[in-house]
Amino acid sequence: GWGFLNRYVITFNWSQRTFTLVANQSAQSDEPLVSFGFSPFIQKDTSSQKSYWTIGSIIEGSPAHQAGLKLGERIVSINGNEMAAVTNSCDLYSPTSRIYQEMNANTLRMELMGKNGKRLIQLTKAPILPK
């Protein structure tokens, strides 16, 4: 889930679409941070004027980084479920939405669309930050 973020101070670099997590000593837990290591981002397709889920940030050394995810790649499907155009930007945080449910699974099979066409990847959550 996304609850791990309260354990860190987050610094965003919007121009490079990166973020840095620094441990918040007052909110530490004994649980390791287990994640795929990427965050979805909503991006508008200028030709269709529709918005889609894309790869918005990647944590270096994470399963997403090791699998070669690229910023801006469109998420076509997750675990066989098509990720249609975004109609509600709050879906990422709504427990009833498809993307929220898929991002909370332990394994993702994703179809991505990038500059070189479509490709399939599989990710398994792993510890990505020290306690």
Side-chain angles (χ1 to χ4, degrees), residues 76-97:
V76 177
S77 69
I78 299 178
N79 295 336
N81 296 305
E82 183 179 340
M83 303 309 291
V86 178
T87 56
N88 183 354
S89 60
C90 294
D91 280 349
L92 188 58
Y93 308 102
S94 171
T96 59
S97 76

Side-chain angles (χ1 to χ4, degrees), residues 24-119:
N24 178 353
Q25 297 301 321
S26 65
Q28 285 304 297
S29 165
D30 288 335
E31 294 180 35
L33 173 56
V34 177
S35 174
F36 299 113
F38 78 95
S39 293
F41 178 78
I42 299 172
Q43 187 168 355
K44 191 171 202 165
D45 179 346
T46 54
S47 62
S48 69
Q49 295 301 305
K50 293 182 179 180
S51 296
Y52 294 97
W53 291 110
T54 63
I55 304 300
S57 63
I58 302 165
I59 297 174
E60 191 171 332
S62 69
H65 182 253
Q66 293 172 2
L69 267 68
K70 304 287 184 223
L71 294 176
E73 284 184 298
R74 181 176 156 205
I75 302 170
V76 177
S77 69
I78 299 178
N79 295 336
N81 296 305
E82 183 179 340
M83 303 309 291
V86 178
T87 56
N88 183 354
S89 60
C90 294
D91 280 349
L92 188 58
Y93 308 102
S94 171
T96 59
S97 76
R98 167 139 313 145
I99 192 153
Y100 179 92
Q101 292 170 3
E102 298 296 352
M103 291 298 294
N104 282 290
N106 287 322
T107 303
L108 293 182
R109 290 179 329 278
M110 294 178 28
E111 182 176 16
L112 302 170
M113 173 65 83
K115 293 179 182 178
N116 297 324
K118 286 186 181 179
R119 65 189 181 112

